[in-house]
mmCIF file with all atom_site columns, all heavy atoms in Angstrom:
data_model
loop_
_atom_site.group_PDB
_atom_site.id
_atom_site.type_symbol
_atom_site.label_atom_id
_atom_site.label_alt_id
_atom_site.label_comp_id
_atom_site.label_asym_id
_atom_site.label_entity_id
_atom_site.label_seq_id
_atom_site.pdbx_PDB_ins_code
_atom_site.Cartn_x
_atom_site.Cartn_y
_atom_site.Cartn_z
_atom_site.occupancy
_atom_site.B_iso_or_equiv
_atom_site.pdbx_formal_charge
_atom_site.auth_seq_id
_atom_site.auth_comp_id
_atom_site.auth_asym_id
_atom_site.auth_atom_id
_atom_site.pdbx_PDB_model_num
ATOM 1  N N   . VAL A 1 13  ? 76.378  110.531 87.851  1.00 97.00 ? 96  VAL A N   1
ATOM 2  C CA  . VAL A 1 13  ? 75.142  111.007 88.586  1.00 97.00 ? 96  VAL A CA  1
ATOM 3  C C   . VAL A 1 13  ? 73.888  110.752 87.688  1.00 97.00 ? 96  VAL A C   1
ATOM 4  O O   . VAL A 1 13  ? 73.880  111.264 86.589  1.00 97.00 ? 96  VAL A O   1
ATOM 5  C CB  . VAL A 1 13  ? 75.270  112.448 88.935  1.00 97.00 ? 96  VAL A CB  1
ATOM 6  C CG1 . VAL A 1 13  ? 73.990  112.903 89.694  1.00 97.00 ? 96  VAL A CG1 1
ATOM 7  C CG2 . VAL A 1 13  ? 76.547  112.714 89.758  1.00 97.00 ? 96  VAL A CG2 1
ATOM 8  N N   . ASN A 1 101 ? 99.263  110.535 120.153 1.00 98.00 ? 184 ASN A N   1
ATOM 9  C CA  . ASN A 1 101 ? 100.340 109.640 120.001 1.00 98.00 ? 184 ASN A CA  1
ATOM 10 C C   . ASN A 1 101 ? 99.848  108.575 119.005 1.00 98.00 ? 184 ASN A C   1
ATOM 11 O O   . ASN A 1 101 ? 98.888  107.833 119.308 1.00 98.00 ? 184 ASN A O   1
ATOM 12 C CB  . ASN A 1 101 ? 100.636 108.905 121.293 1.00 98.00 ? 184 ASN A CB  1
ATOM 13 C CG  . ASN A 1 101 ? 101.086 109.980 122.347 1.00 98.00 ? 184 ASN A CG  1
ATOM 14 O OD1 . ASN A 1 101 ? 101.876 110.862 122.019 1.00 98.00 ? 184 ASN A OD1 1
ATOM 15 N ND2 . ASN A 1 101 ? 100.605 109.790 123.608 1.00 98.00 ? 184 ASN A ND2 1
ATOM 16 N N   . THR A 1 298 ? 88.429  98.711  91.180  1.00 98.00 ? 381 THR A N   1
ATOM 17 C CA  . THR A 1 298 ? 89.510  97.778  90.899  1.00 98.00 ? 381 THR A CA  1
ATOM 18 C C   . THR A 1 298 ? 90.766  98.499  90.423  1.00 98.00 ? 381 THR A C   1
ATOM 19 O O   . THR A 1 298 ? 90.699  99.388  89.584  1.00 98.00 ? 381 THR A O   1
ATOM 20 C CB  . THR A 1 298 ? 89.086  96.804  89.756  1.00 98.00 ? 381 THR A CB  1
ATOM 21 O OG1 . THR A 1 298 ? 87.876  96.117  90.254  1.00 98.00 ? 381 THR A OG1 1
ATOM 22 C CG2 . THR A 1 298 ? 90.140  95.713  89.519  1.00 98.00 ? 381 THR A CG2 1
ATOM 23 N N   . LEU A 1 315 ? 92.042  105.676 76.172  1.00 94.00 ? 398 LEU A N   1
ATOM 24 C CA  . LEU A 1 315 ? 90.708  105.472 76.768  1.00 94.00 ? 398 LEU A CA  1
ATOM 25 C C   . LEU A 1 315 ? 89.910  106.767 76.659  1.00 94.00 ? 398 LEU A C   1
ATOM 26 O O   . LEU A 1 315 ? 88.655  106.756 76.392  1.00 94.00 ? 398 LEU A O   1
ATOM 27 C CB  . LEU A 1 315 ? 90.857  105.061 78.256  1.00 94.00 ? 398 LEU A CB  1
ATOM 28 C CG  . LEU A 1 315 ? 91.294  103.665 78.575  1.00 94.00 ? 398 LEU A CG  1
ATOM 29 C CD1 . LEU A 1 315 ? 91.324  103.428 80.088  1.00 94.00 ? 398 LEU A CD1 1
ATOM 30 C CD2 . LEU A 1 315 ? 90.431  102.657 77.919  1.00 94.00 ? 398 LEU A CD2 1
#
Side-chain angles (χ1 to χ4, degrees):
V96 180
N184 299 319
T381 301
L398 286 183

